[in-house]
Amino acid sequence: MKTLAIVGASGHGKVVADLAELCGFNVTFFDDAFPQLKQVEHWPVKGSFTDLLTQQDCYQYAIVAIGNNAIRSKLSEQLIESGFNLPVLIHPSAIVSQYAHINEGSVVFANAVINAFAQIGENCIINTGAIIEHDCIIANGVHLSPKVSLAGATKVGAATWLGIGSVTKQGIEIGANSIIGANATVLNNIPSNVTVVGSPAVSK
Ligand SMILES: CC(C)(COP(=O)(O)OP(=O)(O)OC[C@H]1O[C@@H](n2cnc3c(N)ncnc32)[C@H](O)[C@@H]1OP(=O)(O)O)[C@@H](O)C(=O)NCCC(=O)NCCS
């Protein structure tokens, strides 16, 4: 069986570990935050991120399971530069169109739906029950929280985070590094580097 090195042994890391097992991997964690940690649930913690970078000969596959979009993107780039393969993990209950495209290092959790001609960037989190309609373009490092619904042809810029239950009107463009609050309704384009909340969503 293939082994997947997962960077980040927090709550999100455990969900990714569960998903990785469903996708046929053995799981080993690497985590910088708790150097003394040897085990999380039944999964071993073998060392830090730096330790992993020196063990490319042992671990062909690796993925970053850290919720912070900027950190996840940065560490994922380092893994790719060091020669690791970053798989795409898709939960068996997710529905992904044969015409959708998902790039390396992205995870798609239970009951998510990704419709025809949607494009998902690298190292994205498509969380539980998220819906990505036709022709959406999701850039690298985006996190769609549980139950986010993107109407057709929505564009989301790199490293933007959409909070749980937020929704967009069709054709909306959201910039990079922005935060869309939980339950927000996005009816107008949103620039980069802002936080918006409410219905309709406005700057906080
Ligand atoms: C938008 C968000 C990031 C802001 O967090 P924050 O900067 O800590 O903001 P605060 O909690 O200090 O709230 C500041 C103000 O914005 C309001 N606000 C915050 N989030 C809001 C939301 N989602 N909808 C409406 N108003 C919101 C607060 O009521 C508060 O208003 P006030 O100043 O009148 O009291 C956060 O509230 C949020 O929605 N996070 C998403 C959580 C999520 O989806 N988690 C799932 C992870 S898988």
Side-chain angles (χ1 to χ4, degrees):
M1 200 187 257
K2 299 171 289 184
T3 297
L4 178 65
I6 298 181
V7 179
S10 64
H12 177 57
K14 291 193 283 185
V15 183
V16 172
D18 180 27
L19 173 58
E21 286 187 341
L22 285 172
C23 295
F25 286 97
N26 274 324
V27 165
T28 296
F29 277 120
F30 288 81
D31 195 306
D32 286 352
F34 308 101
Q36 309 309 323
L37 201 61
K38 296 285 174 242
Q39 190 155 330
V40 168
E41 306 298 346
H42 65 276
W43 296 294
V45 183
K46 290 283 179 67
S48 67
F49 181 67
T50 313
D51 295 332
L52 175 60
L53 289 180
T54 63
Q55 295 179 46
Q56 199 271 327
D57 49 339
C58 306
Y59 298 97
Q60 190 185 349
Y61 298 95
I63 200 162
V64 182
I66 292 174
N68 181 292
N69 291 341
I71 296 174
R72 189 174 66 260
S73 298
K74 183 173 164 225
L75 299 188
S76 298
E77 277 173 28
Q78 286 181 255
L79 287 176
I80 291 167
E81 280 167 16
S82 300
F84 291 90
N85 292 320
L86 275 61
V88 173
L89 302 177
I90 301 176
H91 193 280
S93 70
I95 298 172
V96 179
S97 164
Q98 61 180 320
Y99 299 112
H101 187 75
I102 307 175
N103 281 294
E104 60 185 343
S106 288
V107 292
V108 180
F109 289 130
N111 292 325
V113 177
I114 303 178
N115 232 328
F117 304 104
Q119 298 173 38
I120 314 295
E122 299 169 6
N123 317 311
C124 292
I125 303 170
I126 311 304
N127 224 315
T128 312
I131 296 172
I132 302 175
E133 264 306 333
H134 62 89
D135 299 299
C136 285
I137 301 178
I138 312 299
N140 296 344
V142 166
H143 178 185
L144 304 186
S145 297
K147 292 274 184 185
V148 165
S149 297
L150 303 184
T154 296
K155 287 186 183 168
V156 182
T160 280
W161 173 32
L162 283 87
I164 190 164
S166 57
V167 302
T168 66
K169 196 175 84 169
Q170 69 277 7
I172 288 295
E173 295 191 19
I174 301 174
N177 305 305
S178 284
I179 297 174
I180 311 300
N183 245 1
T185 308
V186 182
L187 300 178
N188 300 298
N189 292 345
I190 304 291
S192 298
N193 305 305
V194 296
T195 297
V196 296
V197 298
S199 178
V202 292
S203 281
K204 191 168 74 74

